[in-house]
Amino acid sequence: MPLNLKPNFAEPGKRYFRAYTPGDDFYEALIETHRDLSDEQSALVNAKLVLLLSNHIGDLSVLREAMQIARQDV
Amino acid sequence: MLSTYQYPKYDYVQPPEQKSGERKRHPVVVVGAGPVGLAAAIDLAQSGVPVVVLDDDDTVSVGSRGVCYAKRALEILDRIGAGDACVAKGVSWNVGRTFFREEEVYNFNLLPQPDHKRPGMVNLQQYYLEEFEVRRAQQLPKLDLRFRNKVVSVTSTAEGATLQVETPDGAYTIEADWLVVADGARSGIRKMMNLEIEGKVFTDRFLIADVVMKAEFPAERWFWFDPPFHPGHSVLLHRQADNVWRIDFQLGWQADPEEEKKPEKVIPRIKAMLGDEREFELEWVSVYTFQCRRMNDFRHGRLLFVGDVAHQVSPFGARGANSGIQDADNLGWKLKLVLDGLAPERLLDSYSEERIFAADENLLNSTRSTDFITPKSKASLTFRNAVLTLARDHAFARTLVNSGRLSVPCFLTKSRLNTPDTDAFAGDMIPGAPMDDAPLQEDGQDCWLLDRVGNRFMALVYVESAAAVDAAMTQAASTLAAAPIPVEVVLLAPTAGPPPAGLRVLEDVAGRFAERYDARPGTVYLLRPDQHVAGRWRAFDTARIEAALARATCNAQ
């Protein structure tokens, strides 16, 4: 399966009336994860997040595609 | 003071009870003639409740305040007779564009569906809205609008409230069975009652510049993150009536508000944005900060709090005045039923519960927008800019771009006034939903669903053909219409045909009602006076309608 670049956030069992809500729920949780951390601590948390999620995805072809997009224009 | 607008000056008339020295008790007194207090007063007065409105001023809102009036607020203004004036004067729009540095990264359409009477949003200076509401209020014989009547003290009892009021002729006392408090964010009444409003202040400052200019920009909302003409901050552009454009510059917390307001400081900012050649005139400049907070309860005995006095949000999303007008919409019919002795006082607790549920949704969305627009940490800023960078090419990131989630009505899913579904339905018109509009015909004339419902309980019955309605339903309809709280039964049919005696028929000419409400022959929707769904079924059953009505009015045992 190729890397999914379409909106894909949802929480099982939750009903959404506005298309932006699941993405906003995710984004708030993400920012909240970094609350009160120093820049260095945040960088470490991000690194751990990437590793955790990468393992969950598992498929190296998908991960390589994501890595390539992430590096573009940086 | 403004080049495009002349503030009206309303006449002060000495209140009759001050003249006579006789103390008078009124069923409802509203404090504050802003957009929300006026909406509440008009709604009550047009339903037959005598209302006194007290306002300390004798004109409308001064300067640049609310701008964006959302579809739902316009529908409520339609119901209270002020919608057409607002839409005619205002600038209708649906499309918003978001730019990051020099590029557009995302755009949205507030109303992707066709066939709604009102647009997603109308931009209109707040003073026009208030002027149109005052005009409507002055048409209503039951509405006594008193300018230059300043409330200086309030005493609340189990049976009502007593107010001391100052006018140019001195002080007088007025009593009310119910007090609707609509005196705004810096409410005097809330302070006099020592009621708390809790939340947080955001440490950022924003500059508002209203400029008059002729510009060919489309009627769209434009939002910039980190643009070259205002690096590191955000900028928002809105078109208002009379060729007035609202520009909102994020300044940061360190900015000196007095310094930033000076024309020699403001004009270069605007020139950097618009280019040196464009001619414009400064109409209004102010610097603001904002808070996100709400009261713990919107009802305190006989005091009912509506609008900014009860809840304040960040301006990103236009959820302030819009939600206040929805407070008025929610309150009016409940207060009338209680005043008429047709519902217990606890129906007014449901006002507080439902509008707190909505306020929390507004606070959540506007706080999220604020956090995206003004990141509070380096990590947050990095994520924000990563989203904006990815948004150009990737759909998933576009849904995360948050330059303001614009005001939409709340689905009151948790309300105890709802009768939960027992039959299967698709779509969003669940119990507690604010109604979707649909184009219809009645007696061969085009009309809109939302113009045909509201102000009373109604049961919409979808039938294959009006001719197929039997005598039993006609009988049931007259029973429901004759009840203490009447329910008007109205038929909806794909094609009209001759209506049975005494029943109205709305024709679903475009099939939008069937589509949006997942209606099939037999489908029944019970609608509240504020155009929300109370319950729905796949077959007409008088007993179920009566039970749902009792539940929606807190009359259920």
Side-chain angles (χ1 to χ4, degrees):
Chain A
M1 207 171 68
L3 179 67
N4 184 1
L5 293 162
K6 300 270 168 292
N8 190 36
F9 295 108
E11 198 166 341
K14 198 167 166 188
R15 177 163 192 168
Y16 299 102
F17 296 101
R18 310 292 173 196
Y20 51 73
T21 305
D24 286 1
D25 287 348
F26 154 73
Y27 196 80
E28 184 186 71
L30 179 65
I31 299 305
E32 190 58 27
T33 305
H34 288 267
R35 194 156 64 110
D36 300 330
L37 298 185
S38 69
D39 295 345
E40 228 170 81
Q41 288 169 324
S42 274
L44 181 60
V45 167
N46 278 338
K48 289 199 230 165
L49 258 182
V50 169
L51 295 171
L52 287 162
L53 297 174
S54 297
N55 177 64
H56 181 82
I57 293 159
D59 183 337
L60 280 179
S61 64
V62 172
L63 291 167
R64 284 201 180 92
E65 199 185 340
M67 289 174 199
Q68 184 256 324
I69 292 174
R71 208 185 150 100
Q72 268 169 25
D73 306 321
V74 171
Chain B
M1 190 159 56
L2 299 183
S3 66
T4 57
Y5 186 75
Q6 179 95 41
Y7 288 100
K9 194 170 160 55
Y10 298 114
D11 291 337
Y12 159 75
V13 180
Q14 187 177 22
E17 57 258 66
Q18 188 178 39
K19 226 174 189 167
S20 67
E22 212 178 313
R23 197 187 262 218
K24 240 190 121 188
R25 192 170 181 89
H26 302 268
V28 180
V29 171
V30 177
V31 182
V36 178
L38 285 168
I42 294 168
D43 193 11
L44 286 162
Q46 72 176 17
S47 73
V49 177
V51 185
V52 175
V53 181
L54 306 175
D55 194 80
D56 58 0
D57 205 357
D58 62 356
T59 188
V60 292
S61 142
V62 173
S64 204
R65 295 174 71 188
V67 173
C68 300
Y69 298 97
K71 182 172 183 290
R72 180 62 200 144
L74 296 170
E75 290 160 357
I76 296 164
L77 291 167
D78 277 339
R79 193 174 62 70
I80 64 170
D84 285 339
C86 293
V87 176
K89 183 70 197 175
V91 176
S92 296
W93 64 275
N94 287 307
V95 173
R97 295 186 192 281
T98 300
F99 305 86
F100 178 44
R101 296 177 182 145
E102 275 155 335
E103 273 179 281
E104 180 178 332
V105 290
Y106 169 70
N107 62 66
F108 60 81
N109 187 336
L110 292 175
L111 198 60
Q113 270 188 339
D115 290 338
H116 290 259
K117 179 182 179 189
R118 290 310 185 194
M121 205 68 85
V122 161
N123 286 358
L124 182 69
Q125 294 90 320
Q126 183 171 330
Y127 38 76
Y128 278 117
L129 170 63
E130 292 186 18
E131 186 184 327
F132 300 150
E133 288 185 82
V134 168
R135 197 184 297 164
R136 171 66 181 145
Q138 288 176 333
Q139 294 168 348
L140 296 167
K142 299 263 185 189
L143 203 158
D144 178 357
L145 181 48
R146 301 181 182 177
F147 294 101
R148 300 184 72 187
N149 273 243
K150 184 181 168 60
V151 176
V152 292
S153 83
V154 57
T155 317
S156 151
T157 67
E159 286 81 42
T162 306
L163 305 172
Q164 296 297 319
V165 184
E166 266 174 25
T167 73
D169 291 305
Y172 74 103
T173 303
I174 187 169
E175 291 179 5
D177 292 335
W178 293 90
L179 190 69
V180 175
V181 184
D183 58 348
R186 284 182 280 272
S187 169
I189 306 254
R190 196 183 58 217
K191 251 179 249 137
M192 292 170 208
M193 295 292 299
N194 285 317
L195 294 169
E196 301 271 317
I197 178 162
E198 282 165 23
K200 55 176 175 174
V201 183
F202 281 81
T203 50
D204 211 331
R205 292 183 207 281
F206 295 82
L207 170 76
I208 279 179
D210 278 354
V211 304
V212 189
M213 65 174 177
K214 291 240 160 41
E216 64 292 348
F217 310 140
E220 297 175 341
R221 175 191 197 257
W222 287 5
F223 190 100
W224 288 264
F225 289 102
D226 191 17
F229 55 84
H230 192 54
H233 292 294
S234 67
V235 178
L236 175 61
L237 176 70
H238 269 295
R239 181 182 190 160
Q240 309 174 77
D242 304 328
N243 290 317
V244 176
W245 297 73
R246 157 72 59 87
I247 311 174
D248 195 320
F249 294 96
Q250 182 198 1
L251 295 176
W253 186 238
Q254 303 310 324
D256 174 348
E258 289 314 309
E259 200 54 34
E260 293 293 343
K261 270 192 280 196
K262 292 180 178 161
E264 61 265 34
K265 193 91 178 158
V266 177
I267 288 168
R269 286 199 192 283
I270 299 173
K271 280 192 181 291
M273 176 178 178
L274 301 173
D276 275 333
E277 323 74 56
R278 191 172 297 279
E279 282 184 36
F280 65 87
E281 210 182 296
L282 266 187
E283 175 96 336
W284 177 269
V285 178
S286 51
V287 172
Y288 69 90
T289 57
F290 58 81
Q291 316 195 30
C292 288
R293 53 184 197 166
R294 73 157 168 84
M295 294 173 70
N296 288 326
D297 205 326
F298 297 175
R299 178 186 172 204
H300 285 266
R302 292 296 185 100
L303 273 58
L304 300 154
F305 293 81
V306 293
D308 280 359
V309 58
H311 46 77
Q312 290 149 46
V313 295
S314 93
F316 304 107
R319 289 169 181 263
N322 284 301
S323 64
I325 291 169
Q326 292 170 66
D327 291 347
D329 184 44
N330 189 291
L331 177 63
W333 64 274
K334 294 177 179 175
L335 186 50
K336 176 169 166 61
L337 284 176
V338 171
L339 281 161
D340 289 348
L342 293 168
E345 277 189 25
R346 68 174 187 278
L347 181 58
L348 293 165
D349 292 329
S350 81
Y351 158 71
S352 184
E353 290 157 13
E354 290 185 339
R355 293 312 298 165
I356 279 177
F357 186 70
D360 285 347
E361 185 176 297
N362 288 320
L363 283 161
L364 178 74
N365 280 294
S366 65
T367 303
R368 285 172 170 182
S369 301
T370 307
D371 287 342
F372 193 89
I373 292 165
T374 62
K376 302 297 179 292
S377 70
K378 204 175 155 203
S380 183
L381 177 67
T382 305
F383 275 121
R384 202 277 307 272
N385 288 347
V387 166
L388 292 170
T389 307
L390 289 167
R392 198 184 46 207
D393 295 325
H394 306 297
F396 90 95
R398 288 195 277 278
T399 64
L400 297 176
V401 174
N402 190 344
S403 69
R405 301 302 189 198
L406 289 143
S407 175
V408 279
C410 180
F411 285 74
L412 303 171
T413 50
K414 300 270 160 59
S415 173
R416 61 187 160 115
L417 306 190
N418 299 339
T419 294
D421 279 339
T422 45
D423 299 331
F425 280 89
D428 281 348
M429 290 296 103
I430 59 168
M435 290 177 68
D436 263 351
D437 207 355
L440 303 173
Q441 280 191 359
E442 183 168 15
D443 300 326
Q445 302 292 311
D446 287 334
C447 63
W448 293 98
L449 173 61
L450 291 184
D451 283 338
R452 289 289 183 272
V453 301
N455 298 317
R456 61 211 184 280
F457 278 94
M458 289 175 78
L460 290 185
V461 182
Y462 191 84
V463 292
E464 194 145 19
S465 135
V469 170
D470 59 17
M473 188 187 291
T474 318
Q475 180 55 43
S478 42
T479 307
L480 287 165
I485 301 174
V487 177
E488 186 188 357
V489 175
V490 172
L491 303 177
L492 248 147
T495 51
L503 282 180
R504 288 167 58 200
V505 187
L506 298 169
E507 194 183 342
D508 188 18
V509 275
R512 295 291 188 195
F513 179 85
E515 175 190 312
R516 289 173 188 169
Y517 288 76
D518 185 27
R520 301 199 289 258
T523 295
V524 179
Y525 273 83
L526 178 66
L527 308 174
R528 300 178 3 174
D530 58 7
Q531 302 175 331
H532 283 65
V533 175
R536 57 182 180 171
W537 306 271
R538 286 298 184 192
F540 185 90
D541 178 338
T542 312
R544 287 203 291 192
I545 293 173
E546 285 167 340
L549 175 71
R551 193 179 173 109
T553 54
C554 288
N555 280 311
Q557 291 312 308

